[in-house]
Amino acid sequence: MINVAHLVQLKAFARQDALLLALLWAASFACIMMLNAGLIGNILALATPFLVGKRLAAFRTQALYGVISFRRAYAYSLYVFIYASLVFALVQYAYFQFLDNGAFAELITTTMKQVAPVYEQNGVSKEEIKSSIDLITMITPVQWAFMFMMQNLAIGAIISLPIALIGKRNRY
């Protein structure tokens, strides 16, 4: 049976910790897109499961007296990723709408043009490559943010499994 008070508590902690995760992702995104510090940005992004695991341990200790089931740990981690993905999608939308001016799409199309010979060797026609490049240039800021949000949600659902498995603590 679902205890509503426990669910409200879990979601409240998850929202707070999601803001920290969204800040981590925003710093990573800023390093990659604006500061040309891709290595630092990638390291920050790879810190995601460690941050969520650390916050799960804090939630377990502060709110649950050191005991948390796998199911509750998974729900907590999943909610953190859901809320962080929503906040980060807003950050990315603002970036793509007001700061990017098509630079991200240009980067992808340039990369696609450079690897076009490889695609052609694998049987992709020049027309298909050109139509793909044209399609990328037509993606709106909302669509970019939505695509990244869905990617973050999918990855979060998967990463939450080992985080919950490592973070669970049973009564002895």
Side-chain angles (χ1 to χ4, degrees):
M1 172 119 4
I2 296 176
N3 186 328
V4 175
H6 290 169
L7 185 61
V8 168
Q9 178 190 45
L10 182 138
K11 290 171 116 180
F13 273 83
R15 280 190 296 267
Q16 292 172 1
D17 295 339
L19 287 176
L20 295 174
L21 182 57
L23 285 172
L24 177 72
W25 286 350
S28 170
F29 187 69
C31 286
I32 292 170
M33 296 303 297
M34 300 172 74
L35 303 177
N36 292 326
L39 179 62
I40 295 170
N42 290 334
I43 290 170
L44 289 174
L46 289 174
T48 294
F50 301 105
L51 175 68
V52 176
K54 182 173 171 53
R55 297 309 307 155
L56 172 65
F59 170 62
R60 180 185 67 218
T61 303
Q62 294 171 3
L64 304 175
Y65 306 106
V67 178
I68 190 168
S69 68
F70 172 78
R71 189 172 79 176
R72 188 181 285 185
Y74 181 72
Y76 168 84
S77 298
L78 191 60
Y79 274 115
V80 168
F81 279 103
I82 290 169
Y83 293 135
S85 295
L86 291 171
V87 171
F88 187 53
L90 294 173
V91 170
Q92 285 184 311
Y93 169 74
Y95 170 78
F96 288 126
Q97 181 68 36
F98 302 111
L99 299 174
D100 185 60
N101 297 321
F104 185 72
E106 183 64 32
L107 175 68
I108 292 177
T109 56
T110 302
T111 304
M112 284 185 71
K113 288 176 185 175
Q114 291 173 350
V115 296
V118 175
Y119 286 126
E120 290 174 12
Q121 288 176 350
N122 290 320
V124 179
S125 70
K126 288 184 179 186
E127 293 79 28
E128 288 176 307
I129 295 170
K130 184 179 180 336
S131 67
S132 296
I133 290 172
D134 292 341
L135 183 65
I136 287 172
T137 59
M138 294 181 347
I139 296 176
T140 64
V142 170
Q143 291 168 328
W144 281 118
F146 184 76
M147 285 190 310
F148 285 119
M149 182 182 75
M150 296 311 294
Q151 176 185 356
N152 291 336
L153 289 172
I155 292 170
I158 294 167
I159 291 177
S160 291
L161 289 169
I163 292 171
L165 190 62
I166 293 169
K168 75 176 182 71
R169 295 289 185 270
N170 298 325
R171 286 194 174 106
Y172 294 112

